[in-house]
């Protein structure tokens, strides 16, 4: 059973960088052919795919967030990380990590973390 657990600060100030970590257990993030995504849901809105990192390390980003987003991984710790720079209150959302066999919101995600609330406010 694969488990994903997000962690990071729940409050970030405007213009700062949001940093989250997803720790994966029960399976390796290097296992072919899985993609590990960050997905968020702002209050009262639908899910938004932020980006993903593939089993071999390639990264993919939402065009609307690409300029501010970086996704990396630490294979020794079986973790993936998200950094979103220059945040504004519009980046307030519940952030999830999830696994799929492709990337993008249209993919079928079989495992999800419980999500972590991030609020951008001064």
């Amino acid at each position: 059973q694969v488990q994903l657990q997000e962690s990071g600060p729940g409050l970030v100030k405007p213009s700062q960088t949001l940093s989250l970590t997803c720790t994966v257990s029960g399976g390796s993030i290097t296992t072919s052919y899985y993609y590990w995504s960050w997905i968020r849901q702002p209050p009262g809105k639908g899910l938004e795919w932020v980006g993903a990192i593939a089993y071999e390390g390639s990264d993919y980003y939402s065009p609307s967030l690409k300029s501010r987003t970086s996704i990396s991984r630490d294979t020794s710790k079986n973790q993936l990380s998200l950094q979103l720079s220059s945040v504004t209150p519009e980046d307030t959302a519940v952030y999830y990590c999830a696994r799929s066999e492709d990337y993008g919101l249209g993919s079928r995600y079989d495992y999800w973390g419980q999500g972590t609330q991030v609020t951008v406010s001064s």
Side-chain angles (χ1 to χ4, degrees):
Q1 178 80 359
V2 177
Q3 293 183 316
L4 299 88
Q5 178 67 59
E6 304 90 349
S7 60
L11 181 64
V12 183
K13 295 186 185 315
S15 80
Q16 293 188 341
T17 295
L18 179 162
S19 296
L20 298 176
T21 297
C22 175
T23 301
V24 179
S25 59
S28 172
I29 62 173
T30 62
T31 298
S32 304
Y33 297 93
Y34 291 112
Y35 295 76
W36 304 86
S37 288
W38 287 98
I39 296 167
R40 68 183 186 179
Q41 185 167 29
K45 297 185 179 180
L47 295 172
E48 179 182 21
W49 180 75
V50 176
I53 191 162
Y55 60 97
E56 88 290 31
S58 299
D59 51 358
Y60 307 86
Y61 300 102
S62 166
S64 64
L65 297 170
K66 184 176 182 178
S67 64
R68 300 192 290 127
T69 309
S70 177
I71 296 175
S72 60
R73 66 179 187 171
D74 185 334
T75 56
S76 68
K77 295 181 179 179
N78 216 35
Q79 293 177 332
L80 56 150
S81 297
L82 168 69
Q83 290 199 311
L84 181 65
S85 64
S86 304
V87 296
T88 72
E90 286 66 44
D91 294 309
T92 294
V94 178
Y95 285 76
Y96 299 92
C97 55
R99 189 186 82 165
S100 63
E101 294 185 6
D102 200 346
Y103 62 90
L105 201 54
S107 305
R108 186 181 74 87
Y109 292 88
D110 54 0
Y111 291 102
W112 292 74
Q114 65 183 27
T116 188
Q117 173 70 48
V118 178
T119 300
V120 179
S121 175
S122 56

